[in-house]
Amino acid sequence: MDIFVKKPILAIVLSLVIVAAGLLAAKNIAVLQFPQIESSSLVITTEYTGVSAETVQGFVTVPIERVAMTIPGVDYVDSSTTAGSSTVTAWLRLNEDSTAALSELTSRLSQISYELPQGAQDPSVNVARVDRAGATFYLDVRADAMTRAELTDFLSREVNPQLASIEGVQKINLEGARNPAMRVWLDPVKLAAMNIGSNEVFTALQQNNVIAPLGKTENSAYEIDLLSNTTLKTAKDFENLSIKSFDGGSIHLGDVARVEEGEDRGITDGRVDLSQTIYIAVSPLPGANEIEIGDELYQRLEKINANLPHGANISIAYDGTLYMRDALKEIFTTLLETVILVGIVVLLLMGSLRSALVPLITIPISILGSIAMMQVMGFTMNLLTILAIVLSVGLVVDDAIVVVENVARHMRLGRSRIQAALISSRELLAPIVAMTITLALVYAPIGFVDGITGALFKEFAFTLATAVLISGVVALTLSPIMSAYVLAEKGAEGAFTQRVNRFFDRLGRRYSKALLRSFSYKPQIAMAAVIIALLVIPFYLFSAKELAPIEDQSSIYLIGESPAGSTLKYSTPYLNEAVAMILAGKDADSIWHIVNSGSSFGGINFVDFSEREQSVQELLPEVYGQLSQVSGVRILPVLPLPLPTAGQFEVEMVVQAQDSYQQMLNYAYQLVAAAYASNQFMFVDTDLKIDKPQAKLVFNHARITDLGMNVSEVVSQVSTMVAEEEVNRYDANGRAYRVIPLVENSNRNHVQAVMDLQIKTADGELVPLHNIASLEHTIGPRKMGKFNQKNAFRIYGGIAPGGTSDQALAALESAALEVLPQNYVIDYAGNSRQLRAEGNSMISVLGIAIFVVYLVLSVQFNSFRSPFVVLLGSVPLALSGALSFTFLGLTSMNIYAQIGFITLVGLIAKNGILITEFANELQQEGKSKLDAIIEAAKVRLRPILMTTAATVLGHFPLVLVTGAGAESRNSIGIILVAGMVIGTVFTLFVLPTVYLLIGEDYAKKTNKLTDNMADLSLAKVI
């Protein structure tokens, strides 16, 4: 590296190129919450109205499941079947191409269309993000002057197209909306009085409201399209529709029904606080830049609101990017704090501003260089890559500190500036290369980890490794010559610099004396080191474990469940009771809800973290206590999951078997009871509930035949009156909406009323339904769940305060071993699936990283023994010290902590490399093993303390940080700060002892080599 000292312009230009590339990349790089990943599922929905759940499952769900399982890239398939509806979800593996999977699935579904029963609608396939239970944005729409149907029509025509054109938006849904519909409210009394059957009404609507393609006329000069008025458009048109003619007149639809332009049947209601609303749900594409979408959405809303009708307004009810923005802001603040702290530490320890400039200039060059490489590798600026940059600030100054301290030492010995720079660059080439490559390669195994952990942390690892590599380049090229020109020559240092130097000189002398005395207790030190190192095992086993710490995202999701068979209107008063109770608190800002029949999903938006005295983790039990007081519905509060994984609950265990749902029910209840008894859960429940009231029509086939009819004709007439199915569609201002005949509510508000409906026989007579059918009341499952084509139920829950998802899931697994028969199989979904698949993946990576470090050091030292000195004398002790903090409950063993341990291996090994490399050099110069290790430890004490102080204080803001994203940064910060402090203390005394016990003895090695050469020479003479 002499060329960079002799030609300093070359070193400067190289650094300027790195800076320029980084500035250009920083201007263009995308900003996301997490690294761009595609985590998708294919949701196949099939409606088969009026059919029992058992029939739908057998005839619809089973064949669709079979096809979905064969799609390449599918991880698992689950299904949920209810009366009249089948939902099959194919969960794709991470980063599978959802477009290709969708195309393949659509093709294969078309091949089995002949297997689906007549009357079932064609399967509808949608691509859904698995990392979000709902949309990213919910827009609250208010328009007092419009009906719900009118507002829905307006939004569909005028607003949704503008929002759907935003780049990166996957779909726009209207939640709580109602499309316009032509409602034909049949009056059974009038039908009977005029001897009209519902089948005649259905036929009249079907045959007289048609689209007529009449064609055109043409001659040699021109052509004319033939149009007609065969399509009915207004309620008056439908009222005048003739159903039946007779001598002297006819019966019109208006004579037997009330016709109105009303609203279609709804499956959801939207609510904000205590009011009903319509939500515009905006869902970005998987991997899309949600912050950019949010920025564009806010801009377009300003323009849209300016042109809305009087009294209408659209506002943001829920913005899923607020936490991302806050978290990114907080981590940038942490980055600034880290740079300032590292700068202060370097300035104080170097003793002068001029000498501190050398390591400080490395920070912007390394950061900008890593940003340039991030863009080259296709990475984004996200929470994890910025966290990597924050961590790199405390690391990239290390090499430069070593260089400037070494140059200063040689200048104090009387050498000229250029001589000091040349000697230092030659002396430090090997150790800096070793330290840089060691720390960079520590992260390499992370890039080959599968699943969500590898996908997320690959960018983190490679960004941090890149910053370290660039800092090494700067340390070898720019730092030596820069040190030579900024450092004061011997005797010219300032007073503060001289005091700092004298302090380190005194500290070095005292340290060498203490080290010499410690060598009298080598066996005791070695034994103590072994015991401390072995504590790693119990510390790890008894540490709380989870996939990732739960973050304060200023929101709590609310998942509601109503009694079986309840309607949308049933939930409203109970939800209002819960909402009023929560809003009475001082921290809740607003509450939004999407209500379905029997269930609901929503959330509480809290005021900003800085305005609250309690975190959402502390508020969660209070909210649960309030919601538990609501009797009519069950509402479960859950915190948003910290990683982009599937599922809504912290624990989700799946139980599979070939048994019937009735046989499985008892085991589900036993598991729920055992989970509560474990005290690991705040709440726990199962999705298997057999409590839905059902009424079964038992037809008298003989009686139907005697009346000259068949079952199909009877079912058709009954369906027309009660199934709320469309006959066809009508034209409303260029859009087609449904025509729906249905008896008035008063004639179908209970099951017995349906039995009094009139059925028209083949001979024109009307007979009540109860003459040809009887009624049986039964209880059935709310839904029929399957997992990988087997009957299944789920146990899900929220963990108790102070617990972790691993502890709760382990308690549930233990209960399953005791409760379930041998032919029952457990599996996992959502967060639990990731926890069991990848919860300890970084532990294996840590082992691989240590092995990689050993191989690199073996090459560097040209020895298999010296790397053992570095690793045994530093790594196990640092790991044990850091693990003691997870053991004491100051943080959990999660993937962020595991990343901290991997980083710690590289950092603490650097200290060992500095001492061991120099000791070996001194031995080769003729010093004894004892003298070499004492002098090496003394000389390297100052750079080790300086780099450790820079690392510790550089990472200390991570320990103290609060607000958005604080939990994960606290976790990695605690591990690094504790591990470095404890590990450095141990390294300074244990590593020299290990060196004396197992390190290379170059004097003996040289003597042996000399003897061998003498023997060889004697042999040649003979």
Side-chain angles (χ1 to χ4, degrees):
M1 292 294 166
D2 290 3
I3 187 173
F4 293 103
V5 176
K6 296 176 181 178
K7 296 184 177 181
I9 299 300
L10 178 60
I12 296 172
V13 168
L14 178 61
S15 296
L16 289 175
V17 168
I18 294 173
V19 169
L23 291 173
L24 185 62
K27 183 179 179 181
N28 300 318
I29 197 166
V31 180
L32 301 175
Q33 180 181 6
F34 288 110
Q36 186 168 341
I37 59 175
E38 183 168 355
S39 181
S40 308
S41 63
L42 304 179
V43 183
I44 310 150
T45 306
T46 310
E47 299 294 330
Y48 195 8
T49 306
V51 181
S52 69
E54 291 82 359
T55 302
V56 175
Q57 187 181 69
F59 285 85
V60 177
T61 303
V62 169
I64 292 178
E65 277 184 323
R66 188 181 68 246
V67 167
M69 284 291 294
T70 65
I71 304 301
V74 168
D75 182 19
Y76 64 94
V77 172
D78 63 12
S79 66
S80 174
T81 306
T82 59
S85 178
S86 165
T87 302
V88 178
T89 305
W91 301 84
L92 300 179
R93 297 189 185 94
L94 195 67
N95 286 329
E96 287 289 341
D97 187 347
S98 59
T99 303
L102 176 62
S103 176
E104 183 70 20
L105 177 61
T106 304
S107 173
R108 298 194 186 189
L109 284 175
S110 66
Q111 297 172 11
I112 65 159
S113 58
Y114 69 93
E115 293 186 44
L116 301 182
Q118 188 176 4
Q121 295 184 8
D122 292 334
S124 169
V125 186
N126 292 309
V127 178
R129 291 181 55 176
V130 305
D131 57 324
R132 280 193 182 274
T136 303
F137 305 93
Y138 285 98
L139 314 183
D140 174 24
V141 185
R142 303 293 181 93
D144 297 334
M146 296 185 190
T147 66
R148 185 160 52 172
E150 290 171 342
L151 181 56
T152 300
D153 186 58
F154 174 79
L155 294 174
S156 299
R157 295 172 186 268
E158 303 295 336
V159 177
N160 288 6
Q162 297 183 58
L163 301 181
S165 65
I166 297 175
E167 185 177 356
V169 170
Q170 181 186 37
K171 61 182 178 180
I172 303 290
N173 288 336
L174 294 178
E175 303 288 358
R178 300 291 188 274
N179 281 322
M182 190 63 68
R183 285 291 191 170
V184 180
W185 299 106
L186 302 175
D187 187 331
V189 175
K190 291 181 179 180
L191 287 172
M194 297 183 183
N195 198 33
I196 301 293
S198 63
N199 58 329
E200 293 175 281
V201 175
F202 185 92
T203 301
L205 288 169
Q206 192 176 54
Q207 295 179 352
N208 293 281
N209 179 38
V210 297
I211 298 174
L214 299 179
K216 59 188 175 183
T217 65
E218 61 179 301
N219 56 33
S220 59
Y222 55 84
E223 62 180 32
I224 297 177
D225 293 327
L226 297 177
L227 307 178
S228 68
N229 64 341
T230 58
T231 302
L232 306 180
K233 295 186 177 182
T234 66
K236 195 68 176 176
D237 292 341
F238 280 91
E239 287 178 351
N240 293 331
L241 175 65
S242 177
I243 298 175
K244 187 177 182 179
S245 299
F246 55 89
D247 292 341
S250 62
I251 299 173
H252 299 92
L253 184 59
D255 296 328
V256 295
R258 178 172 59 87
V259 183
E260 65 172 352
E261 291 185 63
E263 60 182 32
D264 205 340
R265 71 168 183 253
I267 58 173
T268 64
D269 270 343
R271 303 193 63 79
V272 57
D273 293 339
L274 298 173
S275 305
Q276 189 173 33
T277 189
I278 292 178
Y279 285 120
I280 302 176
V282 183
S283 299
L285 286 163
N289 190 333
E290 295 182 349
I291 291 179
E292 284 187 3
I293 292 172
D295 291 340
E296 180 65 22
L297 181 63
Y298 278 89
Q299 293 177 15
R300 295 206 182 185
L301 279 184
E302 287 185 14
K303 298 177 182 177
I304 291 171
N305 276 322
N307 297 307
L308 289 178
H310 178 70
N313 182 67
I314 303 176
S315 59
I316 303 288
Y318 172 76
D319 181 353
T321 68
L322 291 180
Y323 168 72
M324 304 182 206
R325 298 172 191 272
D326 290 343
L328 289 169
K329 179 182 176 182
E330 289 292 335
I331 201 166
F332 273 116
T333 302
T334 303
L335 175 60
L336 179 61
E337 293 170 350
T338 300
V339 171
I340 293 173
L341 272 176
V342 170
I344 293 172
V345 170
V346 172
L347 176 61
L348 292 176
L349 295 180
M350 295 302 299
S352 73
L353 179 60
R354 294 173 63 184
S355 58
L357 283 175
V358 178
L360 290 180
I361 200 101
T362 307
I363 296 175
I365 297 174
S366 299
I367 290 176
L368 290 171
S370 62
I371 293 174
M373 289 304 299
M374 282 165 55
Q375 189 173 45
V376 169
M377 292 185 287
F379 295 169
T380 61
M381 189 71 76
N382 54 70
L383 292 177
L384 295 177
T385 51
I386 299 172
L387 178 60
I389 291 173
V390 172
L391 292 178
S392 72
V393 172
L395 309 182
V396 297
V397 296
D398 289 1
D399 293 338
I401 287 174
V402 173
V403 171
V404 71
E405 192 279 332
N406 206 50
V407 172
R409 183 171 62 88
H410 283 291
M411 290 178 66
R412 287 196 298 270
L413 294 174
R415 294 185 174 93
S416 68
R417 298 179 184 274
I418 299 300
Q419 284 179 329
L422 284 171
I423 294 172
S424 291
S425 63
R426 292 166 187 168
E427 285 182 347
L428 297 176
L429 175 62
I432 287 178
V433 168
M435 291 188 299
T436 302
I437 293 178
T438 296
L439 188 54
L441 287 182
V442 158
Y443 299 105
I446 298 177
F448 303 98
V449 175
D450 294 328
I452 189 74
T453 304
L456 292 178
F457 284 92
K458 178 177 71 175
E459 293 194 13
F460 169 91
F462 288 172
T463 299
L464 191 50
T466 300
V468 170
L469 288 172
I470 292 174
S471 72
V473 171
V474 174
L476 292 173
T477 57
L478 183 65
S479 295
I481 192 62
M482 188 176 177
S483 300
Y485 282 99
V486 301
L487 291 174
E489 293 183 336
K490 183 181 180 181
E493 299 100 336
F496 181 70
T497 303
Q498 292 179 8
R499 284 199 298 271
V500 171
N501 291 338
R502 286 195 297 269
F503 168 78
F504 277 108
D505 288 341
R506 288 195 304 271
L507 184 62
R509 288 192 296 271
R510 292 176 182 176
Y511 167 63
S512 60
K513 292 178 180 178
L515 188 61
L516 185 60
R517 286 196 299 270
S518 71
F519 289 154
S520 303
Y521 305 95
K522 289 196 295 291
Q524 292 88 337
I525 291 175
M527 181 58 67
V530 170
I531 293 172
I532 294 172
L534 290 176
L535 286 174
V536 165
I537 299 173
F539 283 168
Y540 173 76
L541 293 176
F542 293 100
S543 294
K545 301 175 184 67
E546 58 186 339
L547 189 62
I550 298 293
E551 301 286 0
D552 187 336
Q553 299 189 28
S554 294
S555 65
I556 294 177
Y557 290 150
L558 301 175
I559 301 172
E561 183 180 69
S562 303
S566 59
T567 63
L568 285 174
K569 292 182 179 179
Y570 169 87
S571 301
T572 300
Y574 299 107
L575 290 177
N576 285 345
E577 179 185 348
V579 168
M581 200 180 303
I582 294 172
L583 288 178
K586 60 181 179 179
D587 293 326
D589 184 40
S590 62
I591 299 176
W592 57 277
H593 259 109
I594 307 295
V595 186
N596 301 291
S597 296
S599 65
S600 65
F601 177 77
I604 308 170
N605 297 326
F606 290 96
V607 297
D608 187 73
F609 180 87
S610 60
E611 302 174 31
R612 285 183 275 120
E613 295 179 358
Q614 293 177 293
S615 66
V616 292
Q617 292 92 328
E618 295 168 329
L619 288 169
L620 184 67
E622 295 181 15
V623 171
Y624 178 64
Q626 292 175 313
L627 296 175
S628 299
Q629 300 174 34
V630 180
S631 58
V633 295
R634 189 181 191 197
I635 306 174
L636 303 176
V638 296
L639 295 174
L641 296 175
L643 294 180
T645 58
Q648 297 175 329
F649 297 97
E650 293 163 298
V651 174
E652 287 187 65
M653 190 174 78
V654 181
V655 179
Q656 301 170 269
Q658 296 293 354
D659 290 352
S660 68
Y661 295 105
Q662 287 76 12
Q663 292 171 312
M664 300 168 76
L665 182 63
N666 182 50
Y667 297 117
Y669 287 160
Q670 288 185 55
L671 286 176
V672 170
Y676 272 120
S678 71
N679 295 321
Q680 295 292 335
F681 290 87
M682 183 171 65
F683 64 82
V684 65
D685 205 351
T686 176
D687 66 347
L688 180 57
K689 294 182 175 67
I690 304 179
D691 59 355
K692 184 175 183 180
Q694 298 173 334
K696 181 179 180 180
L697 287 177
V698 181
F699 289 108
N700 186 331
H701 292 270
R703 178 63 176 153
I704 292 172
T705 303
D706 290 342
L707 293 172
M709 303 174 67
N710 56 52
V711 173
S712 177
E713 292 171 339
V714 175
V715 169
S716 177
Q717 291 190 51
V718 175
S719 295
T720 300
M721 291 185 282
V722 300
E724 206 170 1
E725 288 186 329
E726 68 175 86
V727 177
N728 45 34
R729 302 205 167 208
Y730 74 103
D731 179 22
N733 299 320
R735 293 206 173 192
Y737 293 113
R738 303 189 336 145
V739 178
I740 306 172
L742 193 68
V743 297
E744 291 276 10
N745 290 340
S746 59
N747 297 107
R748 56 184 178 87
N749 56 7
H750 57 86
V751 177
Q752 196 57 49
V754 175
M755 298 302 291
D756 295 329
L757 295 176
Q758 301 291 319
I759 305 298
K760 194 161 190 178
T761 63
D763 60 5
E765 297 294 326
L766 292 173
V767 298
L769 181 59
H770 61 74
N771 278 3
I772 58 175
S774 59
L775 201 60
E776 287 184 2
H777 292 277
T778 61
I779 298 295
R782 296 191 188 186
K783 71 173 186 176
M784 304 173 70
K786 301 185 77 176
F787 191 90
N788 283 342
Q789 298 181 281
K790 290 183 180 181
N791 288 350
F793 65 85
R794 298 190 186 202
I795 305 294
Y796 55 85
I799 60 177
T804 66
S805 52
D806 179 75
Q807 293 169 334
L809 184 56
L812 199 54
E813 290 167 335
S814 177
L817 289 175
E818 297 179 6
V819 170
L820 298 177
Q822 290 186 350
N823 61 321
Y824 280 54
V825 178
I826 65 170
D827 207 322
Y828 308 94
N831 185 64
S832 296
R833 192 173 185 86
Q834 298 296 336
L835 177 63
R836 284 294 175 258
E838 304 177 32
N840 294 320
S841 60
M842 288 298 174
I843 298 300
S844 58
V845 170
L846 177 61
I848 296 172
I850 293 174
F851 181 66
V852 168
V853 169
Y854 174 78
L855 295 179
V856 171
L857 294 181
S858 297
V859 173
Q860 175 63 33
F861 289 119
N862 192 31
S863 166
F864 289 112
R865 292 172 62 184
S866 292
F868 274 119
V869 174
V870 174
L871 295 178
L872 294 179
S874 58
V875 173
L877 303 172
L879 293 178
S880 182
L883 270 169
S884 66
F885 284 74
T886 64
F887 174 75
L888 294 173
L890 297 178
T891 185
S892 63
M893 179 59 71
N894 56 70
I895 57 175
Y896 290 98
Q898 292 170 26
I899 288 290
F901 284 114
I902 293 171
T903 305
L904 182 60
V905 169
L907 288 176
I908 206 68
K910 290 178 71 172
N911 292 341
I913 292 170
L914 281 175
I915 295 175
T916 305
E917 175 76 20
F918 195 38
N920 289 346
E921 290 181 6
L922 293 175
Q923 279 201 73
Q924 291 171 359
E925 292 174 4
K927 290 185 178 291
S928 68
K929 190 175 182 180
L930 178 62
D931 293 339
I933 189 61
I934 292 177
E935 184 174 346
K938 178 183 176 182
V939 171
R940 296 306 190 206
L941 175 64
R942 183 173 182 177
I944 286 175
L945 292 179
M946 291 170 66
T947 56
T948 298
T951 300
V952 168
L953 290 179
H955 295 153
F956 201 66
L958 297 174
V959 179
L960 302 179
V961 70
T962 58
E967 298 293 336
S968 56
R969 282 175 276 155
N970 289 158
S971 187
I972 197 170
I974 288 171
I975 297 302
L976 287 176
V977 170
M980 279 302 294
V981 170
I982 296 172
T984 299
V985 172
F986 282 135
T987 299
L988 290 175
F989 289 94
V990 175
L991 186 136
T993 301
V994 175
Y995 186 88
L996 288 178
L997 291 174
I998 65 173
E1000 298 274 7
D1001 191 332
Y1002 283 87
K1004 293 181 179 178
K1005 201 172 184 180
T1006 303
N1007 292 336
K1008 184 176 181 181
L1009 181 61
T1010 303
D1011 293 340
N1012 290 339
M1013 292 297 294
D1015 293 340
L1016 183 61
S1017 300
L1018 181 61
K1020 286 182 178 180
V1021 171
I1022 295 174

